[in-house]
Amino acid sequence: MLTKETVRDALETIGNTFFTVSFVAKDGGTRVYNGRINTKKGLKNNERSEIVRKAFQANGVVPIKIDGEQFKAFKLDRVVSIKGAGQEWRV
């Protein structure tokens, strides 16, 4: 798996554009998501959302907006590959 630092650098390089991430899920299977990070539209900015945002950040969880209004998440330390901004990071 890629290191947390590599994934963070990749996400910073990609920015707010679409990307594809492949990671190992809790059940041991591989999942692939295609979406964007850092999207604010449709999110509420209240006390609860701030608590969730801090918990995600502390636990290395990255929320990703996929297909319309649906949000999913993946952990930084479980990423196998990430592709976006014309670049690809692999194990």
Side-chain angles (χ1 to χ4, degrees), residues 19-55:
F19 70 98
T20 303
V21 62
S22 177
F23 63 97
V24 177
K26 268 191 209 178
D27 63 7
T30 303
R31 299 246 171 81
V32 178
Y33 289 161
N34 186 25
R36 295 185 330 172
I37 59 171
N38 301 324
T39 56
K40 306 291 186 215
K41 185 177 179 182
L43 293 179
K44 294 180 179 176
N45 193 14
N46 56 28
E47 186 178 337
R48 182 170 185 239
S49 66
E50 186 64 28
I51 292 169
V52 171
R53 190 175 7 259
K54 286 180 181 176

Side-chain angles (χ1 to χ4, degrees), residues 62-75:
V62 178
I64 179 173
K65 187 174 185 178
I66 60 171
D67 193 30
E69 296 300 315
Q70 188 176 16
F71 281 87
K72 296 284 187 172
F74 62 92
K75 292 193 89 169

Side-chain angles (χ1 to χ4, degrees), residues 6 8 16 21 28 37 50 56 63 73-76 88 91:
T6 303
R8 280 191 187 114
N16 193 22
V21 62
I37 59 171
E50 186 64 28
F56 274 17
F74 62 92
K75 292 193 89 169
L76 290 172
E88 186 170 1
V91 176

